[in-house]
Amino acid sequence: MTTTALAAQNNRRQALRGGAADPAAAHDRAEAWRRRAPLLPALVFTIIVTQVPFLVTIWYSLRSENLLRPGEDRFVGLANYADLFADSTFRQAALNSVIFTLGCVLVAMLLGIGLALLLDRPFAGRGLARTLLITPFLIMPVAAAMIWSVSMFNPTYGMVNWAIGLVGFDAVNWTATFPVLSILIALVWQWTPFMMLLVLAGLQAQPKDVLEAAQMDGAGWGRTFTAITLPQLRRYIELGILLGAIYVVNTFDQIYLMTAGGPGTASANLPFYIYQRAFLGFDIGQAAAMGVVVVIATIIVATFALRLIFRSFEQKD
Amino acid sequence: MTTTTPAAPAARPGSSAPRSQPRPDRGAGPRSGLLTALTWVLAIGFFFPVLWMVLTAFKQENQAASDPPTWLFTPTLDQFRAVIEGGAGVYFANSLIATGLSTLLVIALGVPASYALAIRPVKKTSDVLFFFMSTKMLPVVAVIVPIYVIAGRLHVLDTVWTLVVLYTAMNLPIAVWMMRSFFQEIPGEVLEAASMDGAGLLRTLRSVLMPMVAPGLAATALICVIFAWNEFFFALNLTAARASTVPIFITSTMTSEGLFLARLSAASLLASLPVVVAGWVAQKQLVRGLSMGAIK
């Protein structure tokens, strides 16, 4: 569809919306409710299931509450938060969260762009190659974590050590010696196909006439890529980074199953550390305070990211 | 749906039509051959861990954990038999209920909401969308403790219904975001015509809009199914003996003594199979669903 046709259609839709909102004030209010009503069930459900527990989390975070010592809970103000910032494990877990999220999303995106470019060329069996490449995203994360920690990274019979042994390297105890790297590899493996699919969608949505025109004008592959393809891909890349980050920041399965946060707490991220404090240490107050800090940090980062995405699609409207 | 309106978007991602003519410049040549070879090496490399899981699932335990790895062996179904006799059925039934019901609920709640956001936008539409997406950013760990305590008080711990509610909340934001884009694709004339014919909201939704967004709904449902089927954290913390789901079952095949790799692989294969097959079959819908938020 050409841009003019799109604009015309948009105008028509706008006219339709505008036309329905014109009449008098009383009618207006009824109309407003008619418009709002379909939205309410989902909104109310989401508020109850996500916001109410969060308010309770804030309440817990101001109390000293340990499930192992019932009856001793009391209000402690901000003491949980003060303890938190003195806790070096918390800082380590926060750092690991950043490393896992940034590392996984960026590496997966770069690999995804490369793979998408390779798949965007005509060659025999392209459908099969794409099918093989998307499979890691479809494998259950728990199964993927097990495959990596046992089949691939096992020090005695793992395939990674076998492969590096072929070229003369010594066996490595991957998940014990390089826990963060091992988890990162498993995460990148799962998320690269996701990024690849998004970028591929962007590549295939490119207007073919523009590409052909660029070719006629004698633009080389590199020039066409930076001048036409990359700007077109920008929104797809942004969306991939945003969605990827939302999910990867909550990574739990791989850490729980591959290293259990260890050795010690070397590879724990915030979700895993909070889980440890809440369900293994039963320290509800501390765990809740960590949860609140994580939410505040997430909101700060997310506001920037979401606003960025929303700004660009409002401009498009 | 493209045939009903001449102005329907032609450059839809994942649609194969525009891809049928190869680019003129990159047809053949040694460079192209090298790139194709590289593509296959990477594709097989990425697929290798899955392939190895499949091979291991058909081995005996001592072949599964051998050094060097066993490449040639007589395939056996022993591991699958052990997995199924080990009580996999209950876990699969729980996963099926939790995934199926939560996806239906997401669609039931999400369709009216995304319709409202796309076609008859309220004031502050983008604020509402922003709110939905921001709940997706709320880390689940921040709410797991109250959810555990509240579920305990309501006596719904270790029930599959708790998972249904939580998976619905987990997938609803992303579904609203995606379905809104599908509704926005509907040309204004169609709505105009429907309202001229005097069709009410429900009738417009049911007989005019639903058929048009059906492919989009399928894509949305698929993504909800993937995330619900694979969910581990809530299942781990909120279920025990009765309501555990498939991911929990996989971890239970690990034992501290003896060899378990072949059995674990068989369980992993069975657990992943439904989603992998669905994703393979519906690749185009998957791409379309995921990329919608980028285009609109």
Side-chain angles (χ1 to χ4, degrees):
Chain A
M1 178 194 288
T2 62
T3 33
T4 39
L6 195 86
Q9 181 198 321
N10 230 344
N11 285 343
R12 272 198 296 278
R13 194 184 300 149
Q14 226 99 60
L16 186 73
R17 286 172 194 161
D22 267 340
H27 186 82
D28 250 18
R29 206 173 310 150
E31 173 67 18
W33 274 107
R34 272 231 324 266
R35 284 167 175 238
R36 231 171 272 156
L39 195 58
L40 286 179
L43 208 52
V44 170
F45 179 86
T46 306
I47 289 171
I48 291 176
V49 180
T50 66
Q51 307 302 296
V52 171
F54 181 58
L55 291 180
V56 180
T57 301
I58 296 177
W59 165 248
Y60 280 143
S61 76
L62 302 173
R63 301 176 63 81
S64 166
E65 192 154 335
N66 193 311
L67 293 182
L68 292 180
R69 298 190 302 271
E72 283 180 34
D73 51 316
R74 63 202 158 81
F75 188 81
V76 293
L78 295 175
N80 283 324
Y81 292 91
D83 290 351
L84 211 60
F85 288 102
D87 178 358
S88 64
T89 312
F90 175 76
R91 288 198 301 268
Q92 162 101 56
L95 181 68
N96 280 343
S97 275
V98 174
I99 293 174
F100 286 135
T101 310
L102 279 184
C104 170
V105 169
L106 293 182
V107 175
M109 181 49 87
L110 287 177
L111 285 172
I113 293 174
L115 289 170
L117 287 172
L118 285 173
L119 278 183
D120 194 39
R121 309 160 45 255
F123 64 89
R126 193 173 63 170
L128 176 63
R130 186 180 64 182
T131 303
L132 294 182
L133 278 166
I134 64 165
T135 308
F137 176 63
L138 300 170
I139 294 285
M140 182 178 281
V142 168
M146 302 308 301
I147 297 172
W148 277 101
S149 76
V150 188
S151 285
M152 297 292 130
F153 285 142
N154 185 286
T156 45
Y157 52 81
M159 293 305 285
V160 174
N161 276 350
W162 173 75
I164 64 172
L166 291 182
V167 281
F169 286 98
D170 286 337
V172 176
N173 191 351
W174 286 93
T175 50
T177 319
F178 305 110
V180 174
L181 181 68
S182 302
I183 291 167
L184 207 50
I185 290 173
L187 284 175
V188 166
W189 180 73
Q190 283 230 288
W191 284 95
T192 298
F194 173 83
M195 304 298 185
M196 180 195 82
L197 277 178
L198 271 176
V199 176
L200 198 57
L203 285 173
Q204 304 195 339
Q206 282 186 106
K208 296 290 166 297
D209 43 347
V210 177
L211 289 177
E212 272 159 33
Q215 219 135 61
M216 298 279 194
D217 294 346
W221 184 85
R223 179 103 179 79
T224 315
F225 181 74
T226 50
I228 299 171
T229 305
L230 215 51
Q232 153 86 16
L233 287 184
R234 207 194 99 217
R235 301 188 43 70
Y236 291 84
I237 293 174
E238 278 175 2
L239 183 76
I241 289 176
L242 176 75
L243 289 179
I246 289 176
Y247 284 99
V248 176
V249 80
N250 279 316
T251 295
F252 176 81
D253 308 8
Q254 281 86 352
I255 295 169
Y256 177 83
L257 292 166
M258 291 177 71
T259 67
T265 52
S267 61
N269 67 348
L270 286 173
F272 185 79
Y273 188 46
I274 295 175
Y275 161 82
Q276 268 189 324
R277 293 301 286 265
F279 288 94
L280 305 177
F282 300 103
D283 194 340
I284 301 301
Q286 274 285 310
M290 279 193 263
V292 173
V293 172
V294 171
V295 168
I296 292 170
T298 313
I299 287 172
I300 294 171
V301 176
T303 307
F304 280 111
L306 264 189
R307 284 287 174 216
L308 200 76
I309 299 267
F310 272 78
R311 203 180 49 213
S312 45
F313 96 68
E314 267 162 16
Q315 277 168 357
K316 244 193 130 151
D317 277 356
Chain B
M1 68 180 272
T2 31
T3 47
T4 54
T5 52
R12 182 172 303 143
S15 78
S16 55
R19 303 293 314 145
S20 49
Q21 318 112 308
R23 298 252 174 90
D25 65 329
R26 282 180 258 155
R31 187 159 150 272
S32 169
L34 272 178
L35 287 176
T36 304
L38 176 66
T39 313
W40 280 108
V41 168
L42 289 171
I44 292 166
F46 262 85
F47 189 71
F48 181 76
V50 181
L51 176 71
W52 195 247
M53 171 185 85
V54 175
L55 289 178
T56 309
F58 289 96
K59 289 177 183 174
Q60 299 292 356
E61 290 296 356
N62 59 342
Q63 298 165 329
S66 67
D67 174 35
T70 310
W71 292 92
L72 294 172
F73 56 94
T74 320
T76 169
L77 291 174
D78 286 2
Q79 309 310 331
F80 293 98
R81 208 167 293 132
V83 164
I84 291 163
E85 281 166 8
V90 183
Y91 297 89
F92 274 84
N94 286 331
S95 270
L96 213 58
I97 296 172
T99 304
L101 284 185
S102 71
T103 303
L104 286 178
L105 259 175
V106 165
I107 300 292
L109 290 170
V111 164
S114 48
Y115 167 81
L117 287 173
I119 290 177
R120 339 183 90 220
V122 289
K123 281 179 205 151
K124 302 182 190 296
T125 293
S126 76
D127 285 349
V128 176
L129 258 185
F130 184 82
F131 167 74
F132 272 120
M133 281 312 275
S134 71
T135 64
K136 192 64 235 172
M137 302 203 167
L138 184 77
V140 284
V141 284
V143 290
I144 188 66
V145 171
I147 287 176
Y148 180 82
V149 173
I150 293 168
R153 296 247 169 93
L154 298 174
H155 303 291
V156 291
L157 275 176
D158 199 16
T159 66
V160 78
W161 312 112
T162 310
L163 295 183
V164 170
V165 170
L166 290 172
Y167 292 176
T168 305
M170 170 179 90
N171 282 328
L172 193 54
I174 213 100
V176 168
W177 164 280
M178 279 168 53
M179 288 193 286
R180 172 181 173 272
S181 322
F182 292 119
F183 276 118
Q184 277 189 328
E185 267 196 347
I186 294 173
E189 305 92 323
V190 174
L191 298 170
E192 231 164 327
S195 84
M196 292 230 192
D197 294 347
L201 170 65
L202 276 178
R203 253 205 65 203
T204 313
L205 253 181
R206 202 179 53 230
S207 50
V208 182
L209 299 183
M210 289 315 273
M212 296 183 79
V213 294
L217 286 192
T220 311
L222 175 64
I223 284 161
C224 294
V225 164
I226 292 179
F227 284 124
W229 182 264
N230 288 344
E231 204 283 333
F232 179 60
F233 187 70
F234 285 133
L236 175 71
N237 289 313
L238 301 175
T239 69
R242 280 181 295 137
S244 287
T245 52
V246 171
I248 306 287
F249 175 69
I250 294 186
T251 63
S252 76
T253 59
M254 259 194 318
T255 49
S256 52
E257 283 157 37
L259 297 167
F260 57 83
L261 185 51
R263 204 148 76 92
L264 173 70
S265 299
S268 299
L269 178 57
L270 287 179
S272 299
L273 209 55
V275 162
V276 169
V277 170
W280 279 354
V281 172
Q283 279 183 46
K284 285 192 174 134
Q285 282 74 15
L286 198 64
V287 177
R288 191 156 133 67
L290 288 175
S291 60
M292 267 334 265
I295 314 155
K296 286 279 176 169

